[in-house]
Amino acid sequence: MTFDNLITEKKDGIFTITINRPDKLNALNKNTIYEIGKAIKEAENDADTRVVILTGAGSKAFVAGADISEFSSFSEAEGAGLAKHGHDVFKSIENSSKPVIAAINGFALGGGCELAMSCHIRVASETAKFGQPEVKLGLIPGYGGTQRLPILIGRSKALELLMTADMIGAAEALALGLVNYVTTPDEMMIKCREIAGKIAQQAPLAISGIIRCVNKLYDKEDVNFETEIEEFGKCFVTQDFTEGTTAFLEKRKANFKGV
Ligand code: COA
């Protein structure tokens, strides 16, 4: 299968997906999210594939978030629809029967951090930076960040990162348990392939059973993606959202009023 915004490669049982919009820091527009879903499905259906590696093109970004230029004029329903579509694709990653390893080569912000968190294992380059900066746009995270971040790093630190929009480096992400390993930029893919190689030697049905069981642990009513989708949609009719997205596109600081 060929894609507009992804490069895919199959080798030695590893299916590598590279998000390829480096001049936009691999920001997730609608088509890119759709294509990630297609590529994950392709990997699931490919009998030779044992493990998937997901990374970003270029040295600067894994993914710098959802594409702000695409959604700045959305209505509440369109905003909620955008979140729902992202949730469906990210859940398909989390529930994939084949393990997905995120190779985080740079900025993993907003939807990029959320994308990495929907993967099963995370390996970060020491140049990676993580954050949920949506509040700077008058928004909340819309692809699972309000749920998966507290699950991974705990409620208190998650709330701090979600509300301050602070970015953290790879070493802090490792200390918080947000990533499994930090490597030099050159060693990042080597480490991913080493982990993938170990998993690829195991029984595939047992691997998919482990994923199902571990996911079940978090498949509780209080993991509430629906509330996130609803609250994300509500932000789109606020003046603060218009101000936040306009300020980003005009490369200036936003002035929020609480309306
Ligand atoms: N959506 C759309 N475009 C984006 C983007 C996003 N999330 N993130 C970066 N870009 C674009 C920029 O607009 C710029 O495009 P241009 O060259 O046509 O002006 C290009 O990618 C390079 O980004 P730039 O901001 O110039 O790089 P930088 O090194 O100065 O800053 C970041 C890097 C990641 C700090 C900054 O791009 C940023 O804050 N991005 C948005 C992060 C965010 O809020 N994500 C959550 C979205 S919901």
Side-chain angles (χ1 to χ4, degrees):
M1 211 178 285
T2 54
F3 298 98
D4 294 334
N5 298 323
L6 307 180
I7 301 166
T8 58
E9 181 199 304
K10 283 183 215 170
K11 202 175 167 218
D12 302 330
I14 300 173
F15 189 110
T16 304
I17 303 170
T18 305
I19 300 165
N20 188 32
R21 301 183 74 213
D23 53 334
K24 292 291 172 191
L25 305 188
N26 302 320
L28 298 175
N29 60 8
K30 199 174 167 198
N31 189 36
T32 306
I33 294 182
Y34 171 75
E35 290 190 339
I36 292 170
K38 294 277 274 187
I40 292 291
K41 206 169 273 172
E42 185 183 338
E44 286 249 44
N45 292 335
D46 178 45
D48 296 331
T49 293
R50 293 293 185 92
V51 181
V52 178
I53 297 176
L54 181 59
T55 193
S59 56
K60 201 167 165 184
F62 172 67
V63 165
D67 192 323
I68 298 164
S69 64
E70 197 179 60
F71 66 60
S72 59
S73 59
F74 273 13
S75 67
E76 179 172 352
E78 286 171 321
L82 179 78
K84 172 82 174 67
H85 180 230
H87 268 279
D88 288 347
V89 171
F90 287 19
K91 270 192 240 167
S92 79
I93 296 172
E94 189 166 66
N95 293 325
S96 162
S97 59
K98 313 216 171 158
V100 184
I101 302 175
I104 305 153
N105 52 306
F107 288 115
L109 302 176
C113 189
E114 292 168 299
L115 179 62
M117 290 192 291
S118 72
C119 297
H120 302 105
I121 292 173
R122 282 158 289 282
V123 176
S125 155
E126 60 200 9
T127 58
K129 290 214 180 325
F130 298 80
Q132 296 288 161
E134 288 87 348
V135 277
K136 279 163 88 176
L137 302 167
L139 262 181
I140 70 163
Y143 297 152
T146 65
Q147 308 297 295
R148 292 193 181 101
L149 191 62
I151 286 171
L152 278 171
I153 70 171
R155 176 181 164 135
S156 179
K157 195 68 193 178
L159 277 166
E160 181 191 333
L161 294 181
L162 291 164
M163 296 194 294
T164 60
D166 278 351
M167 268 193 245
I168 58 169
E172 191 172 354
L174 182 66
L176 288 170
L178 184 54
V179 299
N180 298 59
Y181 293 97
V182 175
T183 70
T184 63
D186 289 346
E187 283 167 353
M188 181 191 69
M189 285 309 274
I190 297 169
K191 185 71 192 170
C192 289
R193 288 195 196 102
E194 179 195 313
I195 299 168
K198 284 187 196 171
I199 296 171
Q201 288 171 35
Q202 316 304 335
L205 296 177
I207 294 293
S208 58
I210 287 169
I211 292 173
R212 266 199 309 280
C213 291
V214 173
N215 285 353
K216 198 79 190 155
L217 182 63
Y218 300 100
D219 187 16
K220 292 183 276 193
E221 269 176 36
D222 49 347
V223 176
N224 200 331
F225 292 133
E226 288 309 317
T227 305
E228 185 184 271
I229 292 169
E230 199 183 305
E231 290 294 330
F232 185 78
K234 280 189 203 164
C235 295
F236 281 72
V237 288
T238 65
Q239 287 176 28
D240 280 348
F241 167 74
T242 307
E243 165 63 6
T245 49
T246 307
F248 174 79
L249 296 170
E250 290 176 355
K251 299 188 188 287
R252 64 171 172 83
K253 200 171 178 300
N255 179 16
F256 293 124
K257 302 253 166 47
V259 282

